[in-house]
Amino acid sequence: MNDKNLLKFDKNHILHPYTSMIQPLPVSLAVSANGVYITLNNGKHLIDGMSSWWAAIHGYNHPALNKAIKEQLNSFSHIMFGGLTHKPAIDLIKLLSQLLPSELNKFFLCDSGSVSVEIAMKMAIQYYYNMGQSKKSKFLTIRNGYHGDTFAAMSVCDPITGMHSIFKNILVSQFFAKSPDCGFNEKWNEDYILDFKEILLKNKSDIAGVILEPIVQGAGGMRFYSPYYLKRVRELCDQNDILLIFDEIATGFGRTGKMFALEYPQVVPEIMCIGKALTGGYMSLAATITCSKIAEGISKNDGVFMHGPTFMGNPLACSAAIASIKTLIGSPWENRVANIENQLKIELMPINKMEIVSDVRVLGAIGVVELKKNVNIEKIQKKFIEKGVWIRPFGKLIYLMPPYIIESNELSILTSSIKEIIKSGDI
Ligand SMILES: Cc1ncc(COP(=O)(O)O)c(C=O)c1O
């Protein structure tokens, strides 16, 4: 098949995310990826501004990650995790333990971010069930959140962007507080949490857990909020016997400037989800991590935790994750993320003055330009490709989260492409 026919076949038979099943948005044919460049079939090299949705923090085709997977492949690519274990899983958990608060000491390895959120929610529900409080089975969260596309995860996504109306007969209804209004650096005022507090106090006998993306709300709106909000959430959960779940699937592994966003408020949740950059974007792997209190509660009276994916603890994915974490901690990632942050601020902030722009914000290696109206994704994508960059906006948001290895001149090409395209007004 020539490339034209490959793309025709793709259009007719292969479903892509968040697009029509019969008239999908166009896709480009990628043939290779190396460092921060994605190469298309027409030979065009695109500078990657997306890290493949927060995941490819070291760029593509990384020698250390390639080597780790090849070596593991020579032993075995997968074995079931029921009744068997292996060194890649053990070494990975040892490494993760060094990076996380010591209270988080029980790790469940699973296949994707959404599944890790399902597991976190099951853990919270099963904990209270086993403690004789089965009424506590709902969750409180904030608007503009995103936690994945499976049903339980969807139930705690923003009701509008999560399209709750379509699934209303099947989605569990959860509690939603206003999205925090306090910017990352804003002075704390107790009013910021009043709505959340009121809902929590009114419904605490039904609530098993609060689930939040700490500091950065990702796909639900790319919003940043104050660490104080999280400190207050922790206090309210403690005072009212409610578990706290942090979804660090997007924020984990340095993206916000800290290894994990929980380091900003110095708050430890009972349950935490990680994924995406866990394997440096190489393979699908996620983890739900909890503490002794939850493990002991669930296990009381011979209770067992009811989950076990076929590809649990996949050794190839664990090997990639070990290599990715070692590559990260062996690199000057804090400097790199700080440099990206500074440069994004310098180069993106002036866009704020443009008529069609409603806000520009930067935190860590994340830069967001929010427009006053939705972009035409098909049109804007084509323009970005013509400019030699891979940037995939959604709704009103044009955003960058490049691999940490990006060079300053490459990052400038990303930011100037955004500037030029917005300036043209034809979006
Ligand atoms: C914060 C957050 N939680 C959960 C998910 C779902 O992860 P996955 O796409 O691996 O299922 C995502 C994915 O974008 C995410 O950003």
Side-chain angles (χ1 to χ4, degrees), residues 100-329:
L100 287 162
S102 57
E103 296 91 327
L104 293 169
N105 59 4
K106 303 277 181 193
F107 294 75
F108 192 106
L109 291 166
C110 57
D111 359 33
S112 72
S114 303
V115 172
S116 81
V117 169
E118 299 283 325
I119 292 167
M121 293 170 79
K122 272 171 94 166
M123 281 181 180
I125 292 170
Q126 219 183 312
Y127 170 77
Y128 281 114
Y129 175 89
N130 221 23
M131 301 303 281
Q133 298 184 69
S134 54
K135 190 165 177 279
K136 280 169 85 70
S137 60
K138 299 246 183 188
F139 292 86
L140 167 60
T141 185
I142 51 180
R143 285 180 189 265
N144 288 108
Y146 178 75
H147 297 282
D149 288 344
T150 51
F151 276 100
M154 227 185 348
S155 78
V156 287
C157 289
D158 183 84
I160 313 262
T161 49
M163 306 235 177
H164 285 199
S165 56
I166 299 179
F167 305 106
K168 69 173 183 292
N169 293 334
I170 188 154
L171 279 186
V172 177
S173 78
Q174 311 285 15
F175 299 107
F176 288 87
K178 258 175 52 188
S179 185
D181 284 330
C182 43
F184 179 72
N185 280 319
E186 226 160 289
K187 195 166 170 278
W188 179 249
N189 176 336
E190 190 63 11
D191 288 351
Y192 286 133
I193 199 142
L194 281 188
D195 181 56
F196 179 93
K197 185 175 170 185
E198 217 175 280
I199 299 173
L200 182 143
L201 293 179
K202 198 166 149 211
N203 302 289
K204 63 183 183 184
S205 56
D206 293 318
I207 298 174
V210 165
I211 178 163
L212 299 173
E213 296 153 277
I215 304 292
V216 176
Q217 293 188 283
M222 302 296 285
R223 291 167 57 103
F224 312 145
Y225 64 97
S226 165
Y228 283 96
Y229 191 93
L230 296 164
K231 275 188 190 291
R232 287 293 292 122
V233 167
R234 178 69 275 179
E235 284 164 10
L236 288 166
C237 287
D238 286 341
Q239 289 155 6
N240 294 285
D241 185 24
I242 287 173
L243 305 179
L244 181 56
I245 303 170
F246 276 172
D247 174 349
E248 292 235 26
I249 291 161
T251 50
F253 302 101
R255 181 59 64 180
T256 67
K258 300 275 186 198
M259 184 58 84
F260 295 103
L262 57 71
E263 291 165 33
Y264 283 110
Q266 297 192 343
V267 155
V268 181
E270 278 86 4
I271 306 172
M272 176 169 173
C273 302
I274 55 173
K276 289 188 183 277
L278 171 60
T279 62
Y282 260 59
M283 309 199 60
S284 187
L285 182 72
T288 312
I289 311 158
T290 192
C291 55
S292 302
K293 170 181 152 177
I294 304 305
E296 281 159 19
I298 290 174
S299 310
K300 222 175 88 178
N301 306 323
D302 297 330
V304 295
F305 182 57
M306 288 307 294
H307 211 95
T310 305
F311 288 98
M312 184 166 179
N314 176 261
L316 288 177
C318 289
S319 306
I322 294 165
S324 176
I325 295 171
K326 284 187 176 166
T327 300
L328 183 65
I329 56 185

Side-chain angles (χ1 to χ4, degrees), residues 28-78:
S28 301
L29 187 60
V31 292
S32 66
N34 200 32
V36 294
Y37 290 90
I38 297 171
T39 305
L40 302 184
N41 61 321
N42 60 7
K44 192 142 191 139
H45 301 295
L46 307 178
I47 299 174
D48 178 30
M50 305 305 298
S51 297
S52 285
W53 282 336
W54 314 85
I57 53 176
H58 313 296
Y60 303 92
N61 205 9
H62 193 285
L65 277 72
N66 290 1
K67 182 167 172 268
I69 294 175
K70 283 179 189 158
E71 278 176 12
Q72 182 54 39
L73 193 57
N74 289 333
S75 307
F76 54 97
S77 60
H78 185 66

Side-chain angles (χ1 to χ4, degrees), residues 74-90:
N74 289 333
S75 307
F76 54 97
S77 60
H78 185 66
I79 49 160
M80 62 185 280
F81 218 49
L84 293 169
T85 193
H86 47 76
K87 202 157 175 296
I90 296 166

